[in-house]
Amino acid sequence: MNRYTKKQPVLDRIVLNSIQKQAVSCDIWPQLVFAGAGSGKTRVLTAKIAYLIEHLRVPPINIFAATFTNKAAGEMRERVESLTGLPCGALWIGTFHSMCARLLRREAPHIGYPANFTIYDRDDQISLVKRILKEEGLDERSMPPRGVLQSISRFKNACTPFESIEGGGDNYYDRQVIHLYGIYQKMLKRSAAMDFDDLIANAVYLLRGNADILKRYQNRFQYVLVDEYQDTNNAQFLLVKLLGAAHKRVFVVGDDDQSIYGWRGAQVENILSFESLFEGTRVFKLEQNYRSTQPILDFAHSVISVNTNRADKQLWTDTHNGAEVAVTRYRDDRQEATGIAERVAQLAANGMRLGEVAVLFRTNAQSRVLEEALRRAKLPYVVVGATSFYQRKEIKDCLAYLRLLINPRDDVSCARVLNVPTRGIGAKSQASLFEAAAKRNVAVLELIEEQDGTLTGGKAAKGVEQFREIMLLLRDLVEQQTPPDEILKQILDLTGYTSALEAEDTVEAQNRLDNIGELVNALTLWAQDNPEGTLADFLEEVSLVSDVDKWERRETSVNLMTLHCAKGLEFGVVFLAGLEDGLLPSRQNFDDERSIEEERRLLYVGATRARKELCCSFVDQRYRFGRLIPMEPSRYLDDIPRERYRFDDRCVTFSAPPAAVSSAPKAKKPRMVAREEDHTQETSYDDFSQEIVQYRMGHHVSHKSYGRGKILSVSGFGKDTQLTVLFSDGSRRKLMAKFLEPEVW
DNA sequence: TTGTTTATTCTTTTT
DNA sequence: GAATAAACAA
């Protein structure tokens, strides 16, 4: 800030080791930094930006820096400002999604969109696809919305617009998906809406299709920096390539061992092949770890080194001593939770701040037992993520009204609130409204506003008219520059939303009212913090924040979160709960080697979050789907040499198989063998054991008279396995598996 | 058309 | 066990 600090160059004001220093001060481009867990990645990235600004005199406005969360972006901007003493408001730093949204709002007309487009989240996408399926007369069971969206997402990640798809697809499913992709995009455009994938893909289309615009942005973004590069997808890669094509000043940081978003389209290959794709790349490897103890690093290394598709490297640390990693076996998930809570209480008694403790797990469903145990032990905790505030029904209803005011063409929001609270516009009337709108190629709200409600039959017409009047009234308020929180209050009042909930008079309804109150507060606060901000800005922010963005470490609360959420964070003590096959790795990924490797990385990420103490656990049986299910230790534990951890058997059950009682997980009974003596009672055992699975959802089979088809669901097991199959002629049949031949790849 | 019941599926992970 | 969808009564 003052002249004193200014005199010293950045490199002397921030502590860096020699490799870090080299990476920061290197001026030969492009650059790739492999930054292992805890190796000071954020520090390097921050220093790099500060170095560009201060040492190379690059104006902040010429830098484009993509981070994985908005929170990280905000913190980094602040640190750069305090390092350089210069205001960096003009620096473009944020998630790919938020920066693309920003770019697209400016250039919207070039891709046929208005600047006030709405951003659809997953729920919005699903309700849109469901409506399309209905209108197209397709069965949700043969074309599951999630699957359809997954396929559509793949097209977008590949930056393949509907128009340039060649060929109509090989089979019934693919043909339908392509067909639906076209309709889906048409609907989005008519609704002036984009989904998350569109934000990136449309940015690519924009730059790819307009040479002058591309040039302008290449010129503007003289330096392109990307954090967590291992988690970028193909579209993001194309964007980076486009922006950096002219000047080549691209700097990416990442760790292939921490790539855990493959299911979302991320490609580890992006980082693994960066060197060959960007000619003349300088590579830096940060392998010194400043976070964890040696035992933790050894443990983590034995996990990750089994993976084949990775760049060779190994973390090391200066600190040699440290507590052994613990692996504990519990009888069931309840006992596991209690055991963890006990240990946490112990730590707290020894003066450990609870904010330094995290319990990590694979699925959100696991958090409930843990929460109960912590509550019983009177230990304060926070759950990061889970059902986020903005996902709740009542909140989404409010937001839908707000979005509809900003963008009257937003059909998904319109469908959501048209009959909320109930105005007598049932499914049938809604369908006919949508049909009429589609026929004239206008949005539903537009239709309602111009048509005076004569469209639908008697009863619903009154409700439609009511809705129309409310919307017109609210529109006036927006035009009169009414403060955002006031608009929300008016919505709740005019629509009768509040009074409907009050009338219910249940605890549930009261809860919702409280949540709505919280939303009003949030909006008021936001308006105070952003005096220039419009309602549209607020809505954009809301749709692009993540759960970790809102998380703030509280000194006195234990942190509960999924392994995915924990990426980039660190804690003094980390518990990894539920290290069992079927959970980690997830049962659904058993047959895919790539996913098995990704889940292994998930374990690696979890383990490397710990600074001082790492406690892993698995259970013999666990409640899932309301049933007690036998579990096996995670296969990943098999790869860890026995001397890398202390094994603690807290299993005091008599029913446990004798061989397993006193031994480490390594020595347990062989896999893939079902217990014969169990047939009488535990029929479900077979269902969950890992016998070789011949038939899986999504795989293809053939039948001698119906031909080739895709498995939609599997029921029963052994000889009685039945399959529901979608055949290429479009028919869906439930058949005995023995009549079907699995397709071999 | 709305609000009840029952049946079914389901859970990965999220910008 | 929960959330959603289909099925049914009013």
Side-chain angles (χ1 to χ4, degrees), chain A residues 97 362-364 424 429 546 564 588:
Chain A
H97 290 93
R362 177 69 237 267
T363 66
N364 280 308
S429 330
S546 68
H564 284 90
Q588 289 152 74

PDB file of all heavy atoms in Angstrom, chain A residues 97 362-364 424 429 546 564 588, chain B residues 1-3 9-15:
ATOM      1  N   HIS A  97     -18.022 -20.078 -16.026  1.00  0.00           N
ATOM      2  CA  HIS A  97     -19.438 -19.802 -16.248  1.00  0.00           C
ATOM      3  C   HIS A  97     -19.780 -18.338 -16.037  1.00  0.00           C
ATOM      4  O   HIS A  97     -20.483 -17.737 -16.841  1.00  0.00           O
ATOM      5  CB  HIS A  97     -20.290 -20.695 -15.342  1.00  0.00           C
ATOM      6  CG  HIS A  97     -20.251 -22.134 -15.755  1.00  0.00           C
ATOM      7  ND1 HIS A  97     -19.364 -23.031 -15.224  1.00  0.00           N
ATOM      8  CD2 HIS A  97     -20.963 -22.810 -16.678  1.00  0.00           C
ATOM      9  CE1 HIS A  97     -19.528 -24.212 -15.792  1.00  0.00           C
ATOM     10  NE2 HIS A  97     -20.494 -24.110 -16.680  1.00  0.00           N
ATOM     11  N   ARG A 362     -18.787 -39.582   0.604  1.00  0.00           N
ATOM     12  CA  ARG A 362     -19.010 -39.645  -0.834  1.00  0.00           C
ATOM     13  C   ARG A 362     -20.373 -39.067  -1.234  1.00  0.00           C
ATOM     14  O   ARG A 362     -20.505 -38.346  -2.197  1.00  0.00           O
ATOM     15  CB  ARG A 362     -18.900 -41.109  -1.283  1.00  0.00           C
ATOM     16  CG  ARG A 362     -19.178 -41.393  -2.740  1.00  0.00           C
ATOM     17  CD  ARG A 362     -18.095 -40.823  -3.623  1.00  0.00           C
ATOM     18  NE  ARG A 362     -18.614 -39.918  -4.608  1.00  0.00           N
ATOM     19  CZ  ARG A 362     -18.963 -40.251  -5.840  1.00  0.00           C
ATOM     20  NH1 ARG A 362     -18.795 -41.467  -6.265  1.00  0.00           N
ATOM     21  NH2 ARG A 362     -19.443 -39.366  -6.659  1.00  0.00           N
ATOM     22  N   THR A 363     -21.415 -39.436  -0.505  1.00  0.00           N
ATOM     23  CA  THR A 363     -22.757 -38.995  -0.892  1.00  0.00           C
ATOM     24  C   THR A 363     -23.397 -38.146   0.203  1.00  0.00           C
ATOM     25  O   THR A 363     -23.156 -38.368   1.391  1.00  0.00           O
ATOM     26  CB  THR A 363     -23.694 -40.198  -1.153  1.00  0.00           C
ATOM     27  OG1 THR A 363     -23.891 -40.888   0.078  1.00  0.00           O
ATOM     28  CG2 THR A 363     -23.112 -41.141  -2.178  1.00  0.00           C
ATOM     29  N   ASN A 364     -24.207 -37.220  -0.205  1.00  0.00           N
ATOM     30  CA  ASN A 364     -24.890 -36.363   0.750  1.00  0.00           C
ATOM     31  C   ASN A 364     -25.747 -37.147   1.731  1.00  0.00           C
ATOM     32  O   ASN A 364     -25.929 -36.738   2.873  1.00  0.00           O
ATOM     33  CB  ASN A 364     -25.760 -35.354   0.012  1.00  0.00           C
ATOM     34  CG  ASN A 364     -24.941 -34.190  -0.497  1.00  0.00           C
ATOM     35  OD1 ASN A 364     -24.201 -33.576   0.252  1.00  0.00           O
ATOM     36  ND2 ASN A 364     -25.047 -33.914  -1.781  1.00  0.00           N
ATOM     37  N   GLY A 424     -56.509 -22.417 -10.070  1.00  0.00           N
ATOM     38  CA  GLY A 424     -57.430 -23.189 -10.891  1.00  0.00           C
ATOM     39  C   GLY A 424     -56.963 -23.435 -12.310  1.00  0.00           C
ATOM     40  O   GLY A 424     -57.754 -23.738 -13.193  1.00  0.00           O
ATOM     41  N   SER A 429     -55.341 -27.244 -18.740  1.00  0.00           N
ATOM     42  CA  SER A 429     -55.342 -25.870 -19.252  1.00  0.00           C
ATOM     43  C   SER A 429     -53.930 -25.410 -19.547  1.00  0.00           C
ATOM     44  O   SER A 429     -53.686 -24.692 -20.527  1.00  0.00           O
ATOM     45  CB  SER A 429     -55.962 -24.907 -18.247  1.00  0.00           C
ATOM     46  OG  SER A 429     -56.930 -25.534 -17.478  1.00  0.00           O
ATOM     47  N   SER A 546     -21.974 -21.266  -5.964  1.00  0.00           N
ATOM     48  CA  SER A 546     -21.953 -22.657  -5.544  1.00  0.00           C
ATOM     49  C   SER A 546     -22.076 -22.691  -4.032  1.00  0.00           C
ATOM     50  O   SER A 546     -22.070 -21.658  -3.367  1.00  0.00           O
ATOM     51  CB  SER A 546     -20.652 -23.311  -5.963  1.00  0.00           C
ATOM     52  OG  SER A 546     -19.582 -22.750  -5.231  1.00  0.00           O
ATOM     53  N   HIS A 564     -16.276 -34.014  -2.997  1.00  0.00           N
ATOM     54  CA  HIS A 564     -16.189 -33.032  -4.073  1.00  0.00           C
ATOM     55  C   HIS A 564     -16.120 -31.609  -3.537  1.00  0.00           C
ATOM     56  O   HIS A 564     -15.373 -30.781  -4.022  1.00  0.00           O
ATOM     57  CB  HIS A 564     -17.383 -33.158  -5.026  1.00  0.00           C
ATOM     58  CG  HIS A 564     -17.274 -34.328  -5.944  1.00  0.00           C
ATOM     59  ND1 HIS A 564     -17.771 -35.563  -5.624  1.00  0.00           N
ATOM     60  CD2 HIS A 564     -16.712 -34.450  -7.164  1.00  0.00           C
ATOM     61  CE1 HIS A 564     -17.511 -36.394  -6.611  1.00  0.00           C
ATOM     62  NE2 HIS A 564     -16.878 -35.753  -7.565  1.00  0.00           N
ATOM     63  N   GLN A 588     -22.275 -47.627  -9.078  1.00  0.00           N
ATOM     64  CA  GLN A 588     -22.609 -47.363 -10.478  1.00  0.00           C
ATOM     65  C   GLN A 588     -21.402 -47.237 -11.392  1.00  0.00           C
ATOM     66  O   GLN A 588     -21.542 -47.155 -12.604  1.00  0.00           O
ATOM     67  CB  GLN A 588     -23.450 -46.088 -10.564  1.00  0.00           C
ATOM     68  CG  GLN A 588     -24.818 -46.312 -10.020  1.00  0.00           C
ATOM     69  CD  GLN A 588     -25.405 -45.063  -9.467  1.00  0.00           C
ATOM     70  OE1 GLN A 588     -25.803 -44.181 -10.195  1.00  0.00           O
ATOM     71  NE2 GLN A 588     -25.454 -44.968  -8.148  1.00  0.00           N
TER      72      GLN A 588
ATOM     73  P    DT B   1     -58.741 -28.486 -15.690  1.00  0.00           P
ATOM     74  OP1  DT B   1     -57.632 -27.670 -16.127  1.00  0.00           O
ATOM     75  OP2  DT B   1     -58.763 -29.886 -16.106  1.00  0.00           O
ATOM     76  O5'  DT B   1     -58.721 -28.479 -14.099  1.00  0.00           O
ATOM     77  C5'  DT B   1     -59.446 -27.429 -13.468  1.00  0.00           C
ATOM     78  C4'  DT B   1     -59.294 -27.608 -11.980  1.00  0.00           C
ATOM     79  O4'  DT B   1     -60.076 -28.768 -11.552  1.00  0.00           O
ATOM     80  C3'  DT B   1     -57.866 -27.863 -11.524  1.00  0.00           C
ATOM     81  O3'  DT B   1     -57.607 -27.023 -10.415  1.00  0.00           O
ATOM     82  C2'  DT B   1     -57.837 -29.332 -11.124  1.00  0.00           C
ATOM     83  C1'  DT B   1     -59.278 -29.586 -10.721  1.00  0.00           C
ATOM     84  N1   DT B   1     -59.718 -31.000 -10.961  1.00  0.00           N
ATOM     85  C2   DT B   1     -60.407 -31.649  -9.938  1.00  0.00           C
ATOM     86  O2   DT B   1     -60.654 -31.120  -8.868  1.00  0.00           O
ATOM     87  N3   DT B   1     -60.789 -32.931 -10.242  1.00  0.00           N
ATOM     88  C4   DT B   1     -60.565 -33.610 -11.421  1.00  0.00           C
ATOM     89  O4   DT B   1     -60.953 -34.755 -11.557  1.00  0.00           O
ATOM     90  C5   DT B   1     -59.855 -32.874 -12.434  1.00  0.00           C
ATOM     91  C7   DT B   1     -59.558 -33.509 -13.751  1.00  0.00           C
ATOM     92  C6   DT B   1     -59.466 -31.617 -12.171  1.00  0.00           C
ATOM     93  P    DT B   2     -56.196 -26.824  -9.789  1.00  0.00           P
ATOM     94  OP1  DT B   2     -55.961 -25.394  -9.625  1.00  0.00           O
ATOM     95  OP2  DT B   2     -55.241 -27.658 -10.526  1.00  0.00           O
ATOM     96  O5'  DT B   2     -56.366 -27.464  -8.339  1.00  0.00           O
ATOM     97  C5'  DT B   2     -57.502 -27.101  -7.557  1.00  0.00           C
ATOM     98  C4'  DT B   2     -57.648 -28.077  -6.411  1.00  0.00           C
ATOM     99  O4'  DT B   2     -58.149 -29.330  -6.908  1.00  0.00           O
ATOM    100  C3'  DT B   2     -56.328 -28.390  -5.706  1.00  0.00           C
ATOM    101  O3'  DT B   2     -56.412 -27.959  -4.360  1.00  0.00           O
ATOM    102  C2'  DT B   2     -56.164 -29.902  -5.818  1.00  0.00           C
ATOM    103  C1'  DT B   2     -57.552 -30.386  -6.195  1.00  0.00           C
ATOM    104  N1   DT B   2     -57.566 -31.575  -7.098  1.00  0.00           N
ATOM    105  C2   DT B   2     -58.267 -32.698  -6.714  1.00  0.00           C
ATOM    106  O2   DT B   2     -58.878 -32.776  -5.660  1.00  0.00           O
ATOM    107  N3   DT B   2     -58.236 -33.735  -7.619  1.00  0.00           N
ATOM    108  C4   DT B   2     -57.577 -33.762  -8.838  1.00  0.00           C
ATOM    109  O4   DT B   2     -57.626 -34.739  -9.552  1.00  0.00           O
ATOM    110  C5   DT B   2     -56.868 -32.555  -9.172  1.00  0.00           C
ATOM    111  C7   DT B   2     -56.124 -32.471 -10.473  1.00  0.00           C
ATOM    112  C6   DT B   2     -56.882 -31.526  -8.298  1.00  0.00           C
ATOM    113  P    DG B   3     -55.169 -27.940  -3.432  1.00  0.00           P
ATOM    114  OP1  DG B   3     -55.342 -26.826  -2.478  1.00  0.00           O
ATOM    115  OP2  DG B   3     -53.952 -28.046  -4.247  1.00  0.00           O
ATOM    116  O5'  DG B   3     -55.347 -29.318  -2.629  1.00  0.00           O
ATOM    117  C5'  DG B   3     -56.530 -29.540  -1.872  1.00  0.00           C
ATOM    118  C4'  DG B   3     -56.610 -30.991  -1.460  1.00  0.00           C
ATOM    119  O4'  DG B   3     -56.716 -31.811  -2.649  1.00  0.00           O
ATOM    120  C3'  DG B   3     -55.370 -31.495  -0.699  1.00  0.00           C
ATOM    121  O3'  DG B   3     -55.783 -32.184   0.474  1.00  0.00           O
ATOM    122  C2'  DG B   3     -54.684 -32.427  -1.681  1.00  0.00           C
ATOM    123  C1'  DG B   3     -55.851 -32.928  -2.511  1.00  0.00           C
ATOM    124  N9   DG B   3     -55.469 -33.382  -3.845  1.00  0.00           N
ATOM    125  C8   DG B   3     -54.681 -32.730  -4.767  1.00  0.00           C
ATOM    126  N7   DG B   3     -54.529 -33.401  -5.878  1.00  0.00           N
ATOM    127  C5   DG B   3     -55.257 -34.570  -5.671  1.00  0.00           C
ATOM    128  C6   DG B   3     -55.466 -35.672  -6.528  1.00  0.00           C
ATOM    129  O6   DG B   3     -55.030 -35.852  -7.664  1.00  0.00           O
ATOM    130  N1   DG B   3     -56.272 -36.637  -5.933  1.00  0.00           N
ATOM    131  C2   DG B   3     -56.813 -36.548  -4.667  1.00  0.00           C
ATOM    132  N2   DG B   3     -57.549 -37.573  -4.258  1.00  0.00           N
ATOM    133  N3   DG B   3     -56.627 -35.515  -3.865  1.00  0.00           N
ATOM    134  C4   DG B   3     -55.843 -34.573  -4.427  1.00  0.00           C
ATOM    135  P    DT B   9     -40.037 -49.038 -10.561  1.00  0.00           P
ATOM    136  OP1  DT B   9     -40.447 -49.010 -11.963  1.00  0.00           O
ATOM    137  OP2  DT B   9     -39.795 -50.324  -9.870  1.00  0.00           O
ATOM    138  O5'  DT B   9     -38.723 -48.129 -10.428  1.00  0.00           O
ATOM    139  C5'  DT B   9     -38.789 -46.794 -10.903  1.00  0.00           C
ATOM    140  C4'  DT B   9     -38.062 -45.881  -9.953  1.00  0.00           C
ATOM    141  O4'  DT B   9     -38.630 -45.933  -8.642  1.00  0.00           O
ATOM    142  C3'  DT B   9     -36.596 -46.266  -9.757  1.00  0.00           C
ATOM    143  O3'  DT B   9     -35.809 -45.321 -10.460  1.00  0.00           O
ATOM    144  C2'  DT B   9     -36.388 -46.214  -8.254  1.00  0.00           C
ATOM    145  C1'  DT B   9     -37.634 -45.523  -7.756  1.00  0.00           C
ATOM    146  N1   DT B   9     -38.055 -45.879  -6.378  1.00  0.00           N
ATOM    147  C2   DT B   9     -38.113 -44.892  -5.422  1.00  0.00           C
ATOM    148  O2   DT B   9     -37.825 -43.727  -5.641  1.00  0.00           O
ATOM    149  N3   DT B   9     -38.521 -45.305  -4.189  1.00  0.00           N
ATOM    150  C4   DT B   9     -38.881 -46.582  -3.819  1.00  0.00           C
ATOM    151  O4   DT B   9     -39.240 -46.835  -2.685  1.00  0.00           O
ATOM    152  C5   DT B   9     -38.797 -47.573  -4.859  1.00  0.00           C
ATOM    153  C7   DT B   9     -39.157 -48.994  -4.565  1.00  0.00           C
ATOM    154  C6   DT B   9     -38.401 -47.173  -6.082  1.00  0.00           C
ATOM    155  P    DC B  10     -34.321 -45.470 -10.822  1.00  0.00           P
ATOM    156  OP1  DC B  10     -34.187 -45.317 -12.259  1.00  0.00           O
ATOM    157  OP2  DC B  10     -33.800 -46.683 -10.173  1.00  0.00           O
ATOM    158  O5'  DC B  10     -33.707 -44.211 -10.099  1.00  0.00           O
ATOM    159  C5'  DC B  10     -34.540 -43.244  -9.468  1.00  0.00           C
ATOM    160  C4'  DC B  10     -34.001 -42.963  -8.087  1.00  0.00           C
ATOM    161  O4'  DC B  10     -34.670 -43.758  -7.088  1.00  0.00           O
ATOM    162  C3'  DC B  10     -32.527 -43.305  -7.927  1.00  0.00           C
ATOM    163  O3'  DC B  10     -31.824 -42.098  -7.809  1.00  0.00           O
ATOM    164  C2'  DC B  10     -32.454 -44.150  -6.658  1.00  0.00           C
ATOM    165  C1'  DC B  10     -33.787 -43.887  -6.005  1.00  0.00           C
ATOM    166  N1   DC B  10     -34.300 -44.991  -5.166  1.00  0.00           N
ATOM    167  C2   DC B  10     -34.669 -44.725  -3.850  1.00  0.00           C
ATOM    168  O2   DC B  10     -34.541 -43.575  -3.411  1.00  0.00           O
ATOM    169  N3   DC B  10     -35.169 -45.721  -3.102  1.00  0.00           N
ATOM    170  C4   DC B  10     -35.299 -46.956  -3.620  1.00  0.00           C
ATOM    171  N4   DC B  10     -35.795 -47.910  -2.839  1.00  0.00           N
ATOM    172  C5   DC B  10     -34.919 -47.245  -4.959  1.00  0.00           C
ATOM    173  C6   DC B  10     -34.427 -46.245  -5.699  1.00  0.00           C
ATOM    174  P    DT B  11     -31.255 -41.234  -8.829  1.00  0.00           P
ATOM    175  OP1  DT B  11     -31.184 -39.973  -8.247  1.00  0.00           O
ATOM    176  OP2  DT B  11     -31.687 -41.348 -10.229  1.00  0.00           O
ATOM    177  O5'  DT B  11     -29.907 -42.146  -8.762  1.00  0.00           O
ATOM    178  C5'  DT B  11     -29.741 -42.890  -7.573  1.00  0.00           C
ATOM    179  C4'  DT B  11     -28.685 -42.207  -6.745  1.00  0.00           C
ATOM    180  O4'  DT B  11     -29.245 -41.266  -5.860  1.00  0.00           O
ATOM    181  C3'  DT B  11     -27.966 -43.247  -5.886  1.00  0.00           C
ATOM    182  O3'  DT B  11     -26.695 -43.546  -6.475  1.00  0.00           O
ATOM    183  C2'  DT B  11     -27.833 -42.610  -4.537  1.00  0.00           C
ATOM    184  C1'  DT B  11     -28.622 -41.313  -4.594  1.00  0.00           C
ATOM    185  N1   DT B  11     -29.681 -41.261  -3.535  1.00  0.00           N
ATOM    186  C2   DT B  11     -29.317 -41.370  -2.191  1.00  0.00           C
ATOM    187  O2   DT B  11     -28.166 -41.486  -1.805  1.00  0.00           O
ATOM    188  N3   DT B  11     -30.369 -41.350  -1.319  1.00  0.00           N
ATOM    189  C4   DT B  11     -31.686 -41.233  -1.610  1.00  0.00           C
ATOM    190  O4   DT B  11     -32.533 -41.220  -0.723  1.00  0.00           O
ATOM    191  C5   DT B  11     -32.009 -41.108  -3.035  1.00  0.00           C
ATOM    192  C7   DT B  11     -33.433 -40.956  -3.503  1.00  0.00           C
ATOM    193  C6   DT B  11     -30.991 -41.133  -3.913  1.00  0.00           C
ATOM    194  P    DT B  12     -26.689 -42.530  -8.275  1.00  0.00           P
ATOM    195  OP1  DT B  12     -27.683 -43.161  -9.147  1.00  0.00           O
ATOM    196  OP2  DT B  12     -25.280 -42.592  -8.618  1.00  0.00           O
ATOM    197  O5'  DT B  12     -27.173 -41.003  -8.056  1.00  0.00           O
ATOM    198  C5'  DT B  12     -26.342 -39.859  -7.797  1.00  0.00           C
ATOM    199  C4'  DT B  12     -25.664 -39.887  -6.489  1.00  0.00           C
ATOM    200  O4'  DT B  12     -24.634 -40.886  -6.466  1.00  0.00           O
ATOM    201  C3'  DT B  12     -24.972 -38.590  -6.226  1.00  0.00           C
ATOM    202  O3'  DT B  12     -25.119 -38.305  -4.844  1.00  0.00           O
ATOM    203  C2'  DT B  12     -23.532 -38.810  -6.605  1.00  0.00           C
ATOM    204  C1'  DT B  12     -23.364 -40.310  -6.718  1.00  0.00           C
ATOM    205  N1   DT B  12     -22.855 -40.752  -8.042  1.00  0.00           N
ATOM    206  C2   DT B  12     -21.512 -41.013  -8.202  1.00  0.00           C
ATOM    207  O2   DT B  12     -20.725 -40.885  -7.281  1.00  0.00           O
ATOM    208  N3   DT B  12     -21.154 -41.425  -9.458  1.00  0.00           N
ATOM    209  C4   DT B  12     -21.961 -41.591 -10.554  1.00  0.00           C
ATOM    210  O4   DT B  12     -21.509 -41.965 -11.619  1.00  0.00           O
ATOM    211  C5   DT B  12     -23.350 -41.304 -10.332  1.00  0.00           C
ATOM    212  C7   DT B  12     -24.310 -41.478 -11.446  1.00  0.00           C
ATOM    213  C6   DT B  12     -23.728 -40.902  -9.100  1.00  0.00           C
ATOM    214  P    DT B  13     -24.994 -37.152  -4.123  1.00  0.00           P
ATOM    215  OP1  DT B  13     -24.715 -37.626  -2.788  1.00  0.00           O
ATOM    216  OP2  DT B  13     -25.987 -36.110  -4.395  1.00  0.00           O
ATOM    217  O5'  DT B  13     -23.647 -36.701  -4.810  1.00  0.00           O
ATOM    218  C5'  DT B  13     -22.904 -35.637  -4.288  1.00  0.00           C
ATOM    219  C4'  DT B  13     -21.609 -35.542  -5.050  1.00  0.00           C
ATOM    220  O4'  DT B  13     -21.489 -36.619  -5.953  1.00  0.00           O
ATOM    221  C3'  DT B  13     -21.568 -34.304  -5.923  1.00  0.00           C
ATOM    222  O3'  DT B  13     -21.027 -33.273  -5.143  1.00  0.00           O
ATOM    223  C2'  DT B  13     -20.627 -34.706  -7.042  1.00  0.00           C
ATOM    224  C1'  DT B  13     -20.655 -36.233  -7.020  1.00  0.00           C
ATOM    225  N1   DT B  13     -21.186 -36.833  -8.258  1.00  0.00           N
ATOM    226  C2   DT B  13     -20.418 -37.769  -8.898  1.00  0.00           C
ATOM    227  O2   DT B  13     -19.326 -38.092  -8.485  1.00  0.00           O
ATOM    228  N3   DT B  13     -20.967 -38.306 -10.028  1.00  0.00           N
ATOM    229  C4   DT B  13     -22.200 -38.008 -10.574  1.00  0.00           C
ATOM    230  O4   DT B  13     -22.586 -38.545 -11.590  1.00  0.00           O
ATOM    231  C5   DT B  13     -22.965 -37.025  -9.845  1.00  0.00           C
ATOM    232  C7   DT B  13     -24.311 -36.643 -10.321  1.00  0.00           C
ATOM    233  C6   DT B  13     -22.423 -36.498  -8.733  1.00  0.00           C
ATOM    234  P    DT B  14     -21.994 -32.096  -4.730  1.00  0.00           P
ATOM    235  OP1  DT B  14     -21.411 -31.499  -3.540  1.00  0.00           O
ATOM    236  OP2  DT B  14     -23.392 -32.531  -4.745  1.00  0.00           O
ATOM    237  O5'  DT B  14     -21.783 -31.121  -5.958  1.00  0.00           O
ATOM    238  C5'  DT B  14     -20.509 -30.628  -6.273  1.00  0.00           C
ATOM    239  C4'  DT B  14     -20.644 -29.709  -7.469  1.00  0.00           C
ATOM    240  O4'  DT B  14     -21.148 -30.480  -8.581  1.00  0.00           O
ATOM    241  C3'  DT B  14     -21.637 -28.560  -7.276  1.00  0.00           C
ATOM    242  O3'  DT B  14     -21.113 -27.424  -7.928  1.00  0.00           O
ATOM    243  C2'  DT B  14     -22.883 -29.042  -7.984  1.00  0.00           C
ATOM    244  C1'  DT B  14     -22.300 -29.871  -9.117  1.00  0.00           C
ATOM    245  N1   DT B  14     -23.173 -30.944  -9.589  1.00  0.00           N
ATOM    246  C2   DT B  14     -23.303 -31.136 -10.935  1.00  0.00           C
ATOM    247  O2   DT B  14     -22.724 -30.444 -11.755  1.00  0.00           O
ATOM    248  N3   DT B  14     -24.128 -32.178 -11.286  1.00  0.00           N
ATOM    249  C4   DT B  14     -24.819 -33.016 -10.445  1.00  0.00           C
ATOM    250  O4   DT B  14     -25.526 -33.892 -10.885  1.00  0.00           O
ATOM    251  C5   DT B  14     -24.629 -32.762  -9.033  1.00  0.00           C
ATOM    252  C7   DT B  14     -25.331 -33.607  -8.025  1.00  0.00           C
ATOM    253  C6   DT B  14     -23.834 -31.761  -8.682  1.00  0.00           C
ATOM    254  P    DT B  15     -21.483 -26.004  -7.414  1.00  0.00           P
ATOM    255  OP1  DT B  15     -20.602 -25.753  -6.269  1.00  0.00           O
ATOM    256  OP2  DT B  15     -22.938 -25.826  -7.285  1.00  0.00           O
ATOM    257  O5'  DT B  15     -20.972 -25.116  -8.637  1.00  0.00           O
ATOM    258  C5'  DT B  15     -19.596 -25.086  -8.963  1.00  0.00           C
ATOM    259  C4'  DT B  15     -19.449 -24.612 -10.395  1.00  0.00           C
ATOM    260  O4'  DT B  15     -20.006 -25.622 -11.259  1.00  0.00           O
ATOM    261  C3'  DT B  15     -20.178 -23.305 -10.714  1.00  0.00           C
ATOM    262  O3'  DT B  15     -19.309 -22.492 -11.514  1.00  0.00           O
ATOM    263  C2'  DT B  15     -21.382 -23.745 -11.519  1.00  0.00           C
ATOM    264  C1'  DT B  15     -20.873 -25.004 -12.195  1.00  0.00           C
ATOM    265  N1   DT B  15     -21.908 -25.994 -12.544  1.00  0.00           N
ATOM    266  C2   DT B  15     -21.856 -26.589 -13.787  1.00  0.00           C
ATOM    267  O2   DT B  15     -20.996 -26.306 -14.604  1.00  0.00           O
ATOM    268  N3   DT B  15     -22.834 -27.512 -14.032  1.00  0.00           N
ATOM    269  C4   DT B  15     -23.834 -27.911 -13.168  1.00  0.00           C
ATOM    270  O4   DT B  15     -24.643 -28.747 -13.508  1.00  0.00           O
ATOM    271  C5   DT B  15     -23.827 -27.260 -11.889  1.00  0.00           C
ATOM    272  C7   DT B  15     -24.868 -27.618 -10.894  1.00  0.00           C
ATOM    273  C6   DT B  15     -22.879 -26.348 -11.639  1.00  0.00           C
TER     274       DT B  15
END
